[in-house]
Structures are given as C-alpha cells and as structure tokens.
Amino acid sequence: MTSDNSVLVIGATGKVGSRVTSSLAASGHPHRAVSRSTDPTFDWEKPATWAGAMDGMRSAFVTYMPDLAAPGAPEVIEHFATIAKAEGLRKIVLLSGRGEHGAELSEDTLAQSGVDHVVVRASWFNQNFDEGMLQPSILSGTLALAAGNTLEPFVDVDDIADVAVAALLDDRHNGKTYEVTGPRLMTFADAAREISSATGRQVNYIPLSVEDFHAALLPEIGKDGADLMANICAEVFDGRNEWVGDGVQQALGREPRDFAEYLRIAMASGAWRQVA
Ligand SMILES: NC(=O)c1ccc[n+]([C@@H]2O[C@H](COP(=O)([O-])OP(=O)(O)OC[C@H]3O[C@@H](n4cnc5c(N)ncnc54)[C@H](OP(=O)(O)O)[C@@H]3O)[C@@H](O)[C@H]2O)c1
C-alpha cells in the first residue's frame, strides 16, 4: 500500500528495521519493507535497485550495510540522497553509529543533501548479544572482544526503533541528531556477569587486543569484515563513548530501557534457549 506519507524501511529484516516495520504495520501506517531478500529488492551494492524500491514513497528509514564506518559509505549515502530527492522522498531517517568518524561524514553528507533528515546515532545494541553477532559467543560461554574495560551505555533496539518511528512520522524531529543510548554505563564484563545471572550459565568476558581480535575474526568473516570490525572497536572503545546520551528522552519524553529489562524480555522470549 502507498499513500502520500508512505515510509520506505531499508534493512527491514534486521534488528532495528524489523521493529520499525512492525510498529508501522501495527499503527496501519503505509510502508514498504525492503532488503536484498524482498520484492521489490533493495541492495546497497546495486544502485539500479534503489529507485524502484523508492517508487511512491515519501520518507525512508535507512539502515546502511555493512556500516557507515566502512570505506566509501559517505559517497554511497550522497548518491542515495540524490536519487531519493529525484524520486520525491522528503525525509530520510538515518541509523548511525556513535563515535564513528566515518559515520559522521555520512551524516554530514546527508545534512548537505537538501532532504529533510533525522540522525539516530546509537550506542552498542543490547540485542547484539542475543540476535546479533555475539549470540554464538554467549552460547559458547566465552565473550572475547577488543573492548578492554571500556564503559558503554548499551542501548535497546526497541528504543532505537521507537525513536526512528517518531522521527519518521513527526516533522518536529527534522534536523535533529539523537544520541540514543541506554541509561547505564557498563563494561562488557558487567554485561557478561548480568547475562550469566539471567541465564544461570557462566559467560566469561575475555578482553582481546585489536590485533588478536582481528586475527580471530579473519577466518570467520574475511579480511574486509575483520578490518571493519577491528577498526570500529579500536575507535568506539577508546573512551570517547563513555557517557550516557539523552536521545531517547529528547525524542520520546521517556527514559530508555535498562539492560536488566532487556534481559528480562530476552529470557521471556526464549533467547539463548540452549543455555537456559
Ligand atoms: N550493532 C550495533 O551495536 C550498532 C550500533 C550502532 C549502529 N549500528 C548500525 O546499525 C546498522 C545495522 O542495523 P541492524 O543491526 O538492525 O541490522 P542487522 O540486524 O545486521 O540486519 C541487516 C539488515 O540489512 C539488510 N542488508 C544486508 N546487506 C544489505 C545490502 N547490501 N543491501 C541492502 N540491505 C542489506 C539485511 O537484510 P538482507 O540480508 O535480506 O539484505 C537486514 O535487513 C549498521 O548500519 C550499523 O552500523 C549498529
């Protein structure tokens, strides 16, 4: 279904995009959910797919893959914004990463595009532990990461989606950049301890050097993926993000969910069933 306020959700099968899609569907808001596996398809690596996905849409929620910190991302976002403008999109809500220099370049590119925009700049997701790349680590009982003892205000993906939907549907958010974080600074050792307590199975955090982390990732995700993840960890876990943002409060007028609430909901929904 399309209408004069239809929303295009890019990355709609992902952790954030699926929640944005569900929320729009629940309120009956016209939208189109796309990724590489949908019809119409949308592929960041195939610009020829973009205009077809945008047809009839008036705004877009953008999950860029693999990451706005990846080489070449600002150029892709610039190209995307140009096509979006030509196709009649009036607003882009961009999911961004907190403390990533490359992501800020993409944010700047979007700001200069002339399309109304909102940046949802998120900290490390809670759901990385049960829906994302860290799920196998939690199941194995060893969480090895190049994050040292850095403090991180883990954010709940449900909060990110709520902010994104508000930004999409209400033009009073236009031009804003929301630093979306959870309410509490925690180390990854704290997170492992709380997950252990919730699941009843021990999860140990092992801080790795960036070099050892890169070497561990190499056989799993290849050089480009390992370079990207190692560079992101070196950047965002150097202390720059050791503060709590107020993006959820600013956008929604309520407090963000705590990690304990995330664990309660994750356990109730059967997360890490193999370890519970
Ligand atoms: N994880 C974090 O802690 C964190 C923190 C801050 C910011 N971020 C940002 O959040 C974004 C990831 O969001 P997420 O975790 O919700 O995603 P996700 O769960 O990893 O899912 C990725 C989504 O993108 C689609 N996708 C993958 N490659 C694509 C491509 N080449 N073209 C089009 N779609 C593609 C996937 O569907 P198909 O496979 O069907 O295409 C899926 O819908 C990234 O931009 C990341 O930088 C993440």
Side-chain angles (χ1 to χ4, degrees):
M1 177 172 60
T2 67
S3 80
D4 198 39
N5 56 358
S6 293
V7 175
L8 179 67
V9 182
I10 298 172
T13 56
K15 293 185 284 302
V16 181
S18 62
R19 286 163 166 90
V20 170
T21 303
S22 297
S23 175
L24 293 171
S27 63
H29 196 92
H31 63 281
R32 178 180 296 149
V34 297
S35 73
R36 292 171 302 181
S37 51
T38 59
D39 183 15
T41 191
F42 180 98
D43 189 336
W44 285 110
E45 293 178 14
K46 296 177 183 160
T49 63
W50 301 353
M54 290 174 187
D55 185 36
M57 300 291 109
R58 285 296 169 266
S59 60
F61 172 69
V62 172
T63 303
Y64 179 70
M65 291 300 285
D67 195 288
L68 291 176
E75 291 76 13
V76 178
I77 294 299
E78 184 177 15
H79 188 190
F80 174 84
T82 302
I83 295 193
K85 209 170 162 181
E87 292 297 320
L89 268 72
R90 299 188 193 119
K91 181 174 3 184
I92 294 171
V93 175
L94 179 67
L95 174 59
S96 186
R98 202 163 170 253
E100 295 178 9
H101 176 64
E104 284 168 19
L105 295 178
S106 291
E107 295 172 11
D108 291 346
T109 298
L110 182 59
Q112 288 157 18
S113 70
V115 181
D116 283 334
H117 62 280
V118 182
V119 174
V120 181
R121 199 188 271 164
S123 56
W124 188 273
F125 299 171
N126 290 341
Q127 279 78 1
N128 290 337
F129 294 107
D130 69 313
E131 297 177 30
M133 61 186 164
L134 299 182
Q135 193 222 31
S137 306
I138 301 303
L139 291 174
S140 76
T142 301
L143 176 60
L145 204 63
N149 290 318
T150 307
L151 293 164
E152 174 71 13
F154 300 109
V155 66
D156 201 281
V157 164
D158 284 327
D159 284 335
I160 302 172
D162 286 351
V163 170
V165 170
L168 286 162
L169 301 187
D170 186 341
D171 285 343
R172 286 176 296 182
H173 298 285
N174 291 5
K176 298 271 177 56
T177 294
Y178 291 119
E179 295 272 351
V180 174
T181 80
R184 181 159 56 112
L185 287 169
M186 299 167 63
T187 62
F188 278 83
D190 294 331
R193 199 174 310 113
E194 294 192 24
I195 293 169
S196 301
S197 170
T199 60
R201 282 278 301 271
Q202 188 65 29
V203 178
N204 296 312
Y205 170 59
I206 315 268
L208 296 180
S209 68
V210 171
E211 294 73 24
D212 287 349
F213 182 55
H214 185 275
L217 288 177
L218 209 47
E220 288 174 33
I221 59 175
K223 184 174 181 317
D224 287 352
D227 286 355
L228 180 62
M229 283 310 302
N231 288 339
I232 289 173
C233 285
E235 192 172 30
V236 304
F237 296 133
D238 70 351
R240 74 184 64 193
N241 283 345
E242 288 187 317
W243 56 282
V244 170
D246 64 356
V248 174
Q249 293 91 329
Q250 277 189 33
L252 304 175
R254 66 159 174 80
E255 294 300 310
R257 293 169 177 83
D258 187 72
F259 195 73
E261 175 71 353
Y262 154 67
L263 287 176
R264 193 186 63 69
I265 292 169
M267 288 302 290
S269 68
W272 313 295
R273 197 170 274 133
Q274 287 126 294
V275 297

